[in-house]
Amino acid sequence: MAIPAYLPMIESIASPADEAVLIEDIRIYTNWVLVKTGKWSLSTLFRGMPGFDEHPGMGTWMGDWIGRPAKASALELLSSRFILHRAVGMACLKSLLPVPEEVIPGNAAAMVEAAAAQAPTCFIGYFKEAAHWREMGRPVNIVELFPRPGDIHWDDADEVLGKAQIVVMSGLTVVNETLESVIRRTPAAQVRIMMGPTVPPSPVIFECGLDLLGVTLVREMPLMARYAELGGGSIAYSPTGALDRVNLVRDPSDLTRKLSSLAGGRS
């Protein structure tokens, strides 16, 4: 399967966006970025990614972007190697994109829980559900660039990635340009899912071999902003009502069939 290069994929994801819409506001917190272009959207402010520049304490002024055309700004920011720019760019892009009418509400992890209890599963990025399922003795591994106890470092994960039948990845695989590597290193995967606060609501990502996108939307900005400014670091603990989770499915009947098969222990 040919995965498009990063910038052409971003341009394709951005194609439905209205070029006349402007950036109205930007909020930057310890762990989050929120951008408004008609509606608020959020992205993780990721750190320490190999090959990216953090410029700690320098070059972080983003006020000059307010009032600029949002689509062009998102594309420019997402082409930068500066981590803050990429985070603001993705939040901006997400804010511009329409959410398809046919979505399934709820947490994407819940949709694969039964199958992940039986089939070898890899989470790329830390998710609370993955840690809980692993503690329950399920065949779940967590692969991380910054592993916690029990996790596997990305560089040492060929074996578990190669055997995984269910692969769940964060939206950072788009932003940090590791999506192609994830697909290549998971040849046995029957179901691939991308979920979390940095996932854009774009069916373009399905063309990369994904079955399900779990997208996080801002419902009540004051609640989310207060959580973020107090140092909140996980959407799992965000205030009730602050966020909505919706799921885009490439082929609902096909996904149901595959998850049912995996839940029954058949590969």
Side-chain angles (χ1 to χ4, degrees):
M1 177 184 299
I3 308 301
Y6 170 72
L7 286 177
M9 180 171 63
I10 292 297
E11 290 169 359
S12 183
I13 290 172
S15 61
D18 185 344
E19 296 187 5
V21 173
L22 305 179
I23 296 176
E24 297 180 30
D25 202 355
I26 298 172
R27 306 281 182 89
I28 299 168
Y29 305 96
T30 301
N31 299 303
W32 303 103
V33 165
L34 289 121
V35 175
K36 184 180 182 183
T37 70
K39 67 175 184 291
W40 285 100
S41 193
L42 81 163
S43 177
T44 304
L45 181 52
F46 63 105
R47 292 182 172 84
M49 294 295 174
F52 291 88
D53 189 357
E54 293 193 45
H55 289 313
M58 301 295 292
T60 55
W61 169 250
M62 298 298 293
D64 291 339
W65 293 89
I66 296 174
R68 294 189 188 184
K71 180 178 179 179
S73 297
L75 292 174
E76 182 176 347
L77 289 164
L78 284 165
S79 68
S80 170
R81 303 302 298 182
F82 182 15
I83 283 176
L84 177 61
H85 285 181
R86 287 224 175 173
V88 172
M90 181 53 77
C92 183
L93 179 58
K94 287 181 60 185
S95 180
L96 288 167
L97 295 178
V99 179
E101 293 183 4
E102 295 183 1
V103 297
I104 301 171
N107 186 352
M111 298 175 67
V112 301
E113 182 174 4
Q118 303 294 330
T121 301
C122 268
F123 281 76
I124 301 171
Y126 185 87
F127 292 89
K128 184 182 73 170
E129 297 89 350
H132 178 58
W133 296 346
R134 184 178 60 188
E135 290 172 1
M136 295 171 64
R138 296 179 177 180
V140 171
N141 286 289
I142 298 173
V143 175
E144 261 281 3
L145 274 173
F146 307 102
R148 309 181 191 195
D151 299 349
I152 301 171
H153 194 282
W154 169 254
D155 292 341
D156 303 320
D158 282 344
E159 182 176 357
V160 294
L161 289 172
K163 294 178 179 178
Q165 294 179 320
I166 300 172
V167 177
V168 184
M169 66 196 82
S170 75
L172 292 182
T173 58
V174 173
V175 180
N176 68 13
E177 303 181 40
T178 57
L179 178 56
E180 185 277 334
S181 182
V182 170
I183 302 299
R184 175 173 48 80
R185 295 178 71 185
T186 56
Q190 297 185 38
V191 173
R192 292 189 179 97
I193 296 163
M194 184 182 292
M195 70 181 206
T198 307
V199 179
S202 173
V204 168
I205 300 175
F206 291 142
E207 299 172 12
C208 300
L210 278 288
D211 298 283
L212 172 65
L213 302 179
V215 178
T216 303
L217 306 173
V218 177
R219 183 202 295 180
E220 294 291 342
M221 172 57 179
L223 287 176
M224 183 60 204
R226 184 57 177 159
Y227 176 66
E229 68 189 10
L230 288 173
S234 169
I235 61 171
Y237 301 107
S238 61
T240 301
L243 303 170
D244 282 326
R245 296 180 183 182
V246 299
N247 302 288
L248 284 62
V249 183
R250 179 180 57 82
D251 184 331
S253 60
D254 183 56
L255 179 61
T256 298
R257 176 188 60 77
K258 289 193 287 189
L259 290 175
S260 177
S261 175
L262 291 167
R266 302 188 304 274
S267 58

